[in-house]
Amino acid sequence: GCRRVSAYVDSVRGSHSRGGGAVGRALASALSVELAEYHRLISILEAQLTSQIGSPAGSGDGMQQRRLDKKVLTIRQLIVHLRPAIVRLRTLAAVVESLPQPTTEAGGLCSGGKLISAIQQHSCHGDTRHSSLLHSLVAQASDPWFEILWRWTTNGALPAGSVVRERIDNSGATGREFFVAEDLSVPDAQLWHGRYVLLRDNIPLGVISMDLAERALVLGKGLNFIRSCLGDVRWELEMDSLQDLVRHSGHEAMSERTCLGYRYDATQTSSQSGYGHTSSPTVLGSAISRMAKQVNSHILQSLRDKHHLQTHLWALKQFLLLGRGDFVSALLDGLHRELDSRSADSRRVGSGEMDGVYVHTLMSVVETALRTTNAKHLPSYVLERLSVNLIAADPSNERPDAWDAFHLAYIVDAPLTAVVHPEATSLYQRVFALLFRLKRIVYMLNRTWRQSTALHHALRQISLAYPDSCVEARERTLHLLRRVALTRQSILHFASNLQSYLMFEVVEGGYEVMADRVAKATSLDEVIAAHDEYLQEIMRKSLVETGDEGVDSGGVACSTAGGGVEDSPASTQTPAKAPSLGKELTQVLDASLRFCRVHSALFEMALTSVDKATKARRAAERRAKAGDWGYDDVDRDVDGSNLFESLSDESQVLSVESIANEFDAALGKLLAALDRTLNEGPAQTHKATALGLSGTHRSTCGASSGGPWWRRGGVGVAGGSPLSVAAANVMMPVSWSNDDSLRCLAFRLDFNEYYDRTGFGGTADTTGSEDGDASDDEEME
């Protein structure tokens, strides 16, 4: 045992050692003391034996006298003297044997927190002498480690071995003593999220708990955040507020570090389980909690007062989430003039191309929108952060759309990047893309409505002036315009309701909750959590959270034509993959944009013919007033022949009819996907099977059992035996079952059961809806 302990001490102190570190050297020093005590005992006993053996064997009287003086060392006495030392030596040898040696694949000696944990585990022994020895050994070996913890939690300083310029594995590495490592490759802007890593394997569980280690990580990280990101390099902890802990510790004569619990105390750590949970707060835990409270208070006060955190979060909602209506309207007008004017051959709404589109030109549009609206009264530290990004176009798209490439950006730097981190910025951009596209559709619909009004007025004037001209073409034109008006109203109904839902129920409602949580937060992590949950809730409720892959429809195959459920063995044994809500919503928006483009192109062509006829008519009136003939021959522009024939062209009618049916089908599929999500969820089949429900019972929750859920008044009502309340609650997805706002949206989108009656995406029967445009027909006739 002595040789093994000596070999370990030599390996730590020798030049060939690869990793012992401060903790290893402290352990080696403690082991050296134990070896010295053992050698001292051997020397004393050896000297006594030597003096005994070297004395003259002389007369028996001398031997008898030594026995009487009890100075003769017998074999039994020698065993008694050596037994405690041998037991201690065996214990130390067993501890040393359990530690990795330099020749192992680990690449070096066990060090730091791992070494302390290994020794502390040996102290869990029923023999009090064994545990006392090990506790003493842990106390001596952990003293340098507690010194590192003290410097980290009071100054944010780390030992040289914990600072690297490479990605750090959370599992730790040989040679790192502390449970915190710093990655200098991470910039200061991301200090809070990526600079410091918790090495869980390096936490000496049994000495400190996992929770205490995490709090210590946040404390030291906060100190560095104050200096590097907030710029308060002279700020320090107020240690005077911890003096009551020093007095209550009963160790006023010791150093401040020792009094605050930065030392190994077997009475404090004995209550800790193997998982690092303590039954009562320790002096060290109380000290770290108080220091963390100071750090968090200063960080939040600086972010709120000096760096205007809450104002910037509000500005992100106003601009990136399009909450400022006057600015958005001015921005859309400016973008329409800038982007659509570039197409010389076709002035269509939304047909801007990427050629000649630059960031500085779009930025001038944004600045104009700011100057011409109430946004100009906002603080300069908000307005100067607005910028424009151009997203790369899809290479497969031969005619990229500059509208889709435009993205409004809000520049956020340190220390605000701790809250608005790159992942949060990415979510803001995704939500902006959805909201901006929706605003664009509403803008285009409003503009085409103005075109439609002008065209209807012109057609009425022509019909009154030339009642017998192009009767058949006029009838086909009336049918075309009726179909256009119906589809435009359907898209406007969809876009308006979705926009209202997103802006008021999702964004505004979520922001109020988030702002309240941020105002009441007591730590930076609470602020970050409130903001992240706010964005995640927006992503979920705005239907863009799901990925590209389809979601499991739970064994319920939805028919495109009828929206029904195929209750067949194939449908229950092989679950179908249904497109996600995000994909279905994208299809609806794409169809809406295509309709707006076709609508605009069609009406711009018609209005061009009307303008030409108006000019010809005014010229004829001027000639008639001058005494000349007004018209030399029949003018097909004036009598509307060219206009009616162009509008009644079969290709135009088929194009409008096709895109109108495409929108109806896409919206019907979206409503069906909403019904599946709200009513069934991705784990429908598994949960139904677990409850022992038959295919008939499962179909009572499907889209074909008497229509969608909002027609049936609840889950499991129509189409068979009603489900029990408990079964219905189990089958409802937790994340959607209580989302009343999304349920109300689904109802508003199909409040008159149009898509339900037409089979979720089937061709609409327009005969029943013609009354809505009767006034337009009367004007034309």
Side-chain angles (χ1 to χ4, degrees), residues 78-112:
L78 184 65
I79 293 174
V80 171
H81 283 298
L82 289 177
R83 185 181 298 276
I86 292 174
V87 171
R88 292 174 69 91
L89 201 60
R90 286 176 178 174
T91 300
L92 298 178
V95 172
V96 170
E97 280 292 321
S98 66
L99 303 178
Q101 299 299 313
T103 56
T104 61
E105 296 180 358
L109 294 173
C110 182
S111 62

Side-chain angles (χ1 to χ4, degrees), residues 220-275:
K221 184 168 60 174
L223 292 170
N224 287 286
F225 183 82
I226 290 174
R227 298 187 181 100
S228 300
C229 298
L230 297 181
D232 300 334
V233 294
R234 297 184 179 181
W235 187 86
E236 294 181 353
L237 288 167
E238 296 179 1
M239 304 303 293
D240 295 339
S241 62
L242 305 177
Q243 290 303 314
D244 60 325
L245 294 177
V246 175
R247 291 191 296 270
H248 293 162
S249 65
H251 303 284
E252 291 86 349
M254 298 183 181
S255 64
E256 185 179 33
R257 173 175 74 86
T258 305
C259 292
L260 292 178
Y262 287 82
R263 61 186 175 86
Y264 179 76
D265 188 351
T267 60
Q268 294 285 351
T269 58
S270 61
S271 62
Q272 299 190 19
S273 66
Y275 295 98

Side-chain angles (χ1 to χ4, degrees), residues 23 70 79 92 161 336 372 411 525 546 566 646-647 693 722 780:
V23 175
K70 298 181 180 181
I79 293 174
L92 298 178
H336 169 70
T372 56
I411 300 174
D525 281 330
T546 53
E566 298 178 5
S646 61
L647 289 176
L693 301 176
M780 293 182 59

Side-chain angles (χ1 to χ4, degrees), residues 24 71 78 201 317 410 437 442 463 513 528 610 635 740 771:
K71 294 182 179 180
L78 184 65
D201 289 350
K317 177 183 73 74
Y410 193 86
R437 201 174 195 198
V442 175
S463 299
V513 175
I528 296 172
V610 169
D635 194 328
D740 293 335
D771 295 339

Side-chain angles (χ1 to χ4, degrees), residues 399-656:
R399 191 180 178 86
D401 193 346
W403 283 86
D404 292 334
F406 172 83
H407 273 245
L408 197 62
Y410 193 86
I411 300 174
V412 178
D413 51 13
L416 298 177
T417 48
V419 180
V420 190
H421 45 82
E423 291 78 9
T425 302
S426 175
L427 295 182
Y428 271 114
Q429 290 297 333
R430 291 181 63 185
V431 178
F432 170 83
L434 171 64
L435 294 176
F436 186 72
R437 201 174 195 198
L438 194 58
K439 291 280 188 180
R440 177 190 173 192
I441 291 174
V442 175
Y443 175 81
M444 295 167 70
L445 290 173
N446 291 334
R447 187 169 181 272
T448 53
W449 178 83
R450 292 193 294 269
Q451 291 176 327
S452 177
T453 302
L455 181 59
H456 276 291
H457 178 73
L459 292 177
R460 183 190 177 200
Q461 296 297 328
I462 293 174
S463 299
L464 293 176
Y466 304 95
D468 299 329
S469 176
C470 303
V471 177
E472 294 183 3
R474 186 181 304 173
E475 292 296 330
R476 291 194 299 270
T477 301
L478 291 176
H479 174 76
L480 173 68
L481 297 180
R482 184 181 298 114
R483 185 57 168 147
V484 168
L486 287 172
T487 306
R488 183 180 67 246
Q489 188 61 33
S490 298
I491 296 176
L492 185 60
H493 171 77
F494 161 77
S496 300
N497 280 279
L498 180 60
Q499 179 178 264
S500 175
Y501 162 76
L502 293 175
M503 299 304 300
F504 297 105
E505 300 183 41
V506 177
V507 175
E508 288 293 341
Y511 176 80
E512 291 297 330
V513 175
M514 184 269 293
D516 182 66
R517 291 182 60 185
V518 169
K520 295 179 180 179
T522 58
S523 67
L524 180 56
D525 281 330
E526 291 182 10
V527 174
I528 296 172
H531 183 251
D532 288 349
E533 291 174 13
Y534 159 67
L535 290 179
Q536 290 294 339
E537 188 72 3
I538 290 178
M539 292 293 293
R540 185 182 69 87
K541 289 187 175 182
S542 60
L543 315 182
V544 296
E545 182 186 40
T546 53
D548 293 336
E549 69 276 7
V551 296
D552 191 352
S553 63
V556 180
C558 180
S559 172
T560 302
V565 177
E566 298 178 5
D567 192 12
S568 62
S571 64
T572 56
Q573 294 176 3
T574 306
K577 290 292 183 179
S580 65
L581 287 174
K583 277 192 172 183
E584 299 291 4
L585 180 59
T586 300
Q587 295 294 329
V588 177
L589 296 178
D590 288 344
S592 301
L593 283 174
R594 283 193 290 270
F595 172 79
C596 291
R597 293 191 185 102
V598 171
H599 189 327
S600 179
L602 179 65
F603 277 33
E604 282 186 358
M605 178 271 296
L607 290 176
T608 300
S609 178
V610 169
D611 291 340
K612 185 178 179 181
T614 301
K615 291 179 181 179
R617 186 172 59 253
R618 289 177 180 174
E621 291 174 356
R622 286 195 298 270
R623 288 195 298 270
K625 288 182 180 180
D628 295 333
W629 290 99
Y631 299 100
D632 296 332
D633 197 357
V634 177
D635 194 328
R636 295 181 59 82
D637 288 324
V638 175
D639 66 4
S641 300
N642 291 338
L643 176 60
F644 285 118
E645 289 178 0
S646 61
L647 289 176
S648 63
D649 184 73
E650 185 177 0
S651 61
Q652 300 282 8
V653 177
L654 292 177
S655 176
V656 171

